[in-house]
Amino acid sequence: MTPMAETVTVSGAVSPSLLASLDPLLREWLPRQRWFAGKGRPVTGFSLVAAVELLPLGGRLGLYHLLVRAHQPTVPVVGAATHPADCYQLLIGVREALPPRLAPALIGHVTEGPLTGHTVYDALYDSRPAEVLLEALRSQARIGGLRFDRDQGREIRPGLVPRLMTAEQSNSSIVYGDTFILKLLRRVVPGVNPDLELPLALAREGCARVPAPTAWMQADVHGETYVLGVLQPFVQGASDGWELALRELAKGEDFAAEAHALGRATAEVHTALARALPTVTLGHTQLEPLVAGMTERLEAAVHAVPALRPYAAGLRTAFTAVADLAAEGRTLTAQRVHGDLHLGQCLRSPDGQWSLIDFEGEPARPLAERRMPQPVIRDVAGMLRSFDYAAYSVSPPDPEWARRCRAAYCTGYGEVSGADPRTEPVLLRAFETDKAIYEVLYEARHRPDWLPVPMAAVERYATSDLI
Ligand SMILES: Nc1ncnc2c1ncn2[C@@H]1O[C@H](COP(=O)(O)OP(=O)(O)O)[C@@H](O)[C@H]1O
Ligand SMILES: O=P(O)(O)O[C@H]1O[C@H](CO)[C@@H](O[C@H]2O[C@H](CO)[C@@H](O)[C@H](O)[C@H]2O)[C@H](O)[C@H]1O
């Protein structure tokens, strides 16, 4: 099939018919990728947004950087990808034959168009393409519409050996010699990306809790800028909070001291973000849409996951309680927050220091929403849910372990910020309920086996208070 027409930026020797030859292969390959956001809806076609040749096909290996729109039927679900055609960043390698070490990267064998007879594959698995990216960042290259920039004060040594991270991720990351990690965003949208914006702002504030961006990669397409990747120092020997929590749970060990330290770290980041970027006061006019948004997300989730239906009325009471606060004239302070904070976003270095990563926000939400100031309790609720997630993902569940972690986290947070989140039980309940509903949708789409974990929370939240 011929790809749908779109104004395309093509650089180097890339022919627009390139996508036509990849089309049937991508249709099969793309929906199988963990980072594909449009799960459950067929891909009906592709259009090329931009294409840049990074290595010419004449050599042993051709390399193309593509921004490709995947067309899918639109489903009117709040909280899901709202674009009828999400744009994905692909790095396509082309070889005559694929060496066995690259077998997991296979996209397919091309049978039509300019690449006929070649094998195409996800080039992030391959060391040469990964080296090309690092070299471009190091030398601040401009290639076609691709722009590579770096913090002038930080050195990037040439020749660092790359390896693709194999962890389950929403994006793809390459580690270079245990010195840097490059996160390449997969679903990309034009505009300021909080995954670059917030760490840069925190670095300017001197906040050491977040690895500072060393270099970044962007694309300029028809007057719009897409953030494509961020290089940052790799925290060597780090364990993420989720692994650590599960390890302690398996040993029957307490995690309260770590939860306390995490509460302090979260408050430090929030304090620095409030210094770096504007804060606003939310009055009745702003709280009404906030509550309406939570209620809409619930309705949409019930539509998508009918198992939620029996709990909907009970869950809704968490949101109406916030509306009541607003009606009484309560105001709230809002500021930029992490937006999707959970144990997997917290790294502990071997010396026991915690860092927070991945400031992209909930990937399915529109960018404008992800960049809006929010009450800090939103992040706190994310972490509290995460302790609950850990405790309910083991058999038998250990609610007492979660209770101790939750209390310690709130204490630590309050020590640094001056405000213990437990003094806001109505807000906490609403944001935790909202997060649990998001998790039900997320798991239904991405990891159906995990659905019972947030569903167990939903059952409890529909009938009881949380803290
Ligand atoms: N600076 C870092 N140092 C060490 N490991 C990191 C760093 N940043 C990310 N990671 C690892 O990469 C994984 C994915 O990073 P993340 O930013 O959460 O990407 P995604 O949005 O794809 O989930 C993390 O869970 C962590 O294990
Ligand atoms: O890929 P991201 O890290 O940006 O976040 C998404 O995936 C997470 C799972 O990998 C998901 O987190 C949920 O599962 C975690 C355990 O794997 C748990 O610690 C979190 O509390 C729970 O929300 C996250 O919601 C999603 O946005």
Side-chain angles (χ1 to χ4, degrees), residues 324-345:
D324 293 345
L325 277 189
E328 287 162 16
R330 255 302 297 276
T331 58
L332 292 180
T333 303
Q335 62 160 84
R336 297 298 299 281
V337 298
H338 181 283
D340 190 17
L341 196 57
H342 57 79
L343 281 163
Q345 318 280 38

Side-chain angles (χ1 to χ4, degrees), residues 34 170 242 340 342-343 345 358 363 382 385-386 389 438-439 442-443 447 450:
R34 159 82 201 263
S170 301
W242 177 253
D340 190 17
H342 57 79
L343 281 163
Q345 318 280 38
D358 193 3
R385 284 285 318 120
S386 215
Y389 236 80
Y438 163 81
E439 289 165 346
Y442 179 88
E443 301 300 8
R447 308 186 298 186
W450 285 70

Side-chain angles (χ1 to χ4, degrees), residues 8 49 69 85 104 213 223 237 287 302 329 335 379 383 385 408 432 450 457:
V8 182
V49 175
R69 226 176 265 296
L287 286 174
V302 169
Q335 62 160 84
D379 283 349
M383 283 302 292
R385 284 285 318 120
E432 271 202 73
W450 285 70

Side-chain angles (χ1 to χ4, degrees), residues 270 290 294 332-333 335 337 374-384 409-410 413 419-432 435:
H270 281 165
L290 187 131
M294 288 177 166
L332 292 180
T333 303
Q335 62 160 84
V337 298
Q374 312 255 359
V376 287
I377 216 110
R378 187 189 168 97
D379 283 349
V380 170
M383 283 302 292
L384 297 185
Y409 179 82
C410 289
Y413 189 94
D420 187 314
R422 286 167 293 186
T423 57
E424 292 286 4
V426 171
L427 289 176
L428 214 40
R429 175 164 180 238
F431 277 99
E432 271 202 73
K435 189 71 188 182

Side-chain angles (χ1 to χ4, degrees), residues 219-280:
D220 295 316
V221 185
H222 308 306
E224 294 188 304
T225 298
Y226 292 72
V227 173
L228 302 177
V230 181
L231 184 80
Q232 55 172 247
F234 183 71
V235 183
Q236 285 184 26
S239 309
D240 78 46
W242 177 253
E243 293 164 18
L244 286 173
L246 289 190
R247 205 182 301 159
E248 297 310 302
L249 262 166
K251 290 192 291 190
E253 295 284 338
D254 206 37
F255 196 62
E258 296 297 355
H260 180 265
L262 276 167
R264 292 185 66 92
T266 310
E268 280 176 37
V269 170
H270 281 165
T271 310
L273 282 174
R275 274 199 313 265
L277 295 161
T279 61
V280 294

